[in-house]
Amino acid sequence: MGRSKRKANQNTATISDLPNHIICDILSRLPLSSIFTCKRVCKIWHNLILEPCFAKLHLSRSPLSLVFYRPGNSNDSPSYFEILQLHDPPDLDQHNATMKFTTQIYLPHRHVEMLGSCNGSILLANYVSDYKDLVIIVCNPLRARHHVLPEPSKLALRTHGYAGLGFVHSPSTDKHKVLLFTHTWTNLGPAAPAWSRDKLYCDTFTIGIDDEWRSIGDTGMPPDEFALPFVFLNGAIHWIGFENSRVICYFDIEKEQFGSFPLPSHFGLKGQGRFFLGVIDNWLYIQHDSPYMVWKFWVMKDYGDFGSWTPEWVIERPITSKFASRVKLLKMLNDGTLLMFLFKSSMVPNNLRGGKITKTLASYNPQTRVLSVLKTTENICILPAGHSFYDAPRFFSPMDALK
């Protein structure tokens, strides 16, 4: 009887006996925390998880996530990323919902900003106050890889002045580009409108291709009116600029060409609230912070068709006032519920350098007008502040092209 048991055990197959492509298929369906546990099981699994084919398979099944950057204060408190996977419907009761990744990046200056996320990689800017000695870093938290870009031209930064950074992916070449925007004022006299005096310049750096920044020159476009992160969609980055009226400016990644198209006609005049761009479910949307106590969201249903702007959602501010002075849409769930991030800041008494930042992940049902709080975090924000982006974490890293 004992011999029969031993023989049966010898004929029992384990998961390690399966073909590699089946193991990859199984592992790619697991949450991030389980994948990292499996990565430590054996060398074979570790190598499989780092294969490009696994990265693509995992990306096709991984839910979009909130990616947070938490700046450290000292060697004993290093900076790190947090990744919160968001399922449909969101389930935040799991203890492993948020994963923490230390950066292991040397940041020489005090001010750090997380300025973009593209295909799971993060764009960081590290600088002295007023963007002096700007250090630009691209990193991938899942792969624990990072790349410090060459120093931008000090002459350009000094002559023009820093305006912003964009981080994009070119589908045709499968390359990642970082765009550095600077601007300068052209003195046309006090009678000239402000928009006519402001010129926007652009330099680009392709990871794995370029050894130094390449100047595109004067873009012919006005700078971002509200100095917020750029929005990436349909192979182009977008921002809201102001010429004789507000327009959406864009930069086509493949053609390296700039252009613009109008907002809905009644958005053109100043003094009617603030406007912000975003992307939800591959739709470009405009958030209008109306002075009439509502958040209004307009969606371009057919990208490039300026007649397809549709007023999609309205949220009364009293519903969100307890949690938000700013709203950012993240995702529309299958039942039509909106997943959103709410930001609210307040100054801390006797503290002139920062304030208390409350960040609330919430859902809002436009039909029932019910707001449900899913997760709230609170921190004392002494510059630099923590930032967050919405992206799909990837085990592929653009730094792989640097081998």
Side-chain angles (χ1 to χ4, degrees):
M1 187 173 180
R3 182 180 302 173
S4 299
K5 283 186 176 181
R6 285 195 299 271
K7 186 175 181 180
N9 289 336
Q10 291 173 356
N11 294 330
T12 300
T14 67
I15 188 173
S16 296
D17 297 317
L18 295 173
N20 286 348
H21 71 278
I22 295 181
I23 296 177
C24 280
D25 183 81
I26 295 172
L27 296 180
S28 67
R29 300 173 186 272
L30 299 176
L32 280 178
S33 57
S34 299
I35 291 176
F36 274 87
T37 299
C38 293
K39 189 179 173 184
R40 296 190 292 268
V41 168
C42 63
K43 188 174 181 178
I44 293 177
W45 286 17
H46 178 275
N47 293 337
L48 280 177
I49 289 172
L50 297 182
E51 287 289 332
C53 58
F54 177 83
K56 293 179 180 179
L57 194 58
H58 175 263
L59 180 65
S60 67
R61 293 166 173 166
S62 177
L64 291 176
S65 304
L66 276 174
V67 183
F68 301 87
Y69 175 71
R70 309 293 191 187
N73 298 320
S74 64
N75 292 332
D76 296 329
S77 178
S79 56
Y80 62 93
F81 291 100
E82 285 183 351
I83 297 178
L84 174 62
Q85 290 188 289
L86 300 174
H87 299 271
D88 187 357
D91 179 11
L92 304 181
D93 294 331
Q94 304 176 23
H95 294 295
N96 61 351
T98 304
M99 293 198 66
K100 180 177 177 179
F101 301 86
T102 55
T103 64
Q104 303 298 322
I105 301 173
Y106 171 67
L107 302 172
H109 309 306
R110 178 170 180 256
H111 298 268
V112 183
E113 289 188 53
M114 177 176 164
L115 293 177
S117 179
C118 181
N119 289 338
S121 292
I122 310 300
L123 179 68
L124 295 177
N126 181 216
Y127 54 92
V128 185
S129 59
D130 299 324
Y131 296 97
K132 295 178 181 177
D133 297 327
L134 179 65
V135 178
I136 302 171
I137 301 167
V138 173
C139 59
N140 185 297
L142 298 192
R143 292 293 302 274
R145 297 201 66 185
H146 73 276
H147 179 59
V148 180
L149 274 61
E151 186 177 4
S153 168
K154 289 186 177 181
L155 178 62
L157 290 175
R158 184 168 62 249
T159 304
H160 300 153
Y162 173 83
L165 284 164
F167 186 29
V168 294
H169 174 253
S170 172
S172 65
T173 62
D174 198 27
K175 298 298 182 182
H176 291 75
K177 295 183 178 182
V178 179
L179 307 175
L180 171 63
F181 290 92
T182 54
H183 68 84
T184 189
W185 294 90
T186 303
N187 187 9
L188 299 179
W195 58 266
S196 69
R197 303 196 303 269
D198 208 355
K199 288 192 174 183
L200 186 68
Y201 295 84
C202 179
D203 292 80
T204 181
F205 184 91
T206 303
I207 298 175
I209 299 294
D210 293 333
D211 295 322
E212 58 184 18
W213 290 88
R214 179 168 51 88
S215 175
I216 297 178
D218 185 356
T219 68
M221 297 288 107
D224 189 339
E225 186 178 14
F226 299 118
L228 292 175
F230 298 99
V231 173
F232 180 53
L233 179 67
N234 275 19
I237 62 168
H238 307 78
W239 68 95
I240 295 179
F242 189 84
E243 296 176 318
N244 56 341
S245 63
R246 286 191 178 100
V247 293
I248 295 180
C249 306
Y250 67 86
F251 174 68
D252 187 298
I253 307 306
E254 305 292 341
K255 300 177 181 178
E256 292 197 346
Q257 292 180 353
F258 290 86
S260 64
F261 54 84
L263 277 71
S265 57
H266 65 284
F267 281 1
L269 300 177
K270 278 184 173 287
Q272 297 180 344
R274 301 182 71 187
F275 300 86
F276 305 99
L277 277 183
V279 173
I280 181 170
D281 297 334
N282 290 319
W283 285 341
L284 192 68
Y285 76 81
I286 301 171
Q287 176 185 333
H288 180 198
D289 291 6
S290 167
Y292 302 107
M293 295 302 291
V294 294
W295 312 100
K296 293 183 179 180
F297 298 90
W298 288 65
V299 170
M300 181 181 272
K301 291 294 186 72
D302 185 9
Y303 182 84
D305 180 0
F306 314 138
S308 68
W309 284 111
T310 305
E312 195 70 15
W313 305 289
V314 174
I315 303 176
E316 294 86 354
R317 288 197 191 184
I319 294 177
T320 62
S321 61
K322 180 179 178 182
F323 307 100
S325 53
R326 278 284 317 281
V327 174
K328 181 180 180 180
L329 298 186
L330 301 175
K331 180 180 177 62
M332 184 168 63
L333 303 181
N334 291 331
D335 63 355
T337 298
L338 295 173
L339 200 62
M340 62 181 64
F341 214 34
L342 310 177
F343 304 84
K344 191 168 187 177
S345 60
S346 59
M347 293 302 297
V348 175
N350 301 321
N351 184 354
L352 300 179
R353 294 188 299 166
K356 183 170 68 173
I357 308 296
T358 303
K359 305 171 184 178
T360 302
L361 179 65
S363 64
Y364 176 75
N365 189 312
Q367 300 299 321
T368 62
R369 300 169 62 207
V370 172
L371 181 77
S372 301
V373 173
L374 302 174
K375 183 180 179 68
T376 299
T377 61
E378 204 173 74
N379 65 294
I380 301 300
C381 173
I382 309 300
L383 291 177
H387 297 270
S388 65
F389 276 85
Y390 195 44
D391 200 358
R394 292 187 65 178
F395 282 88
F396 168 80
S397 169
M399 282 69 75
D400 292 341
L402 302 175
K403 293 178 180 178

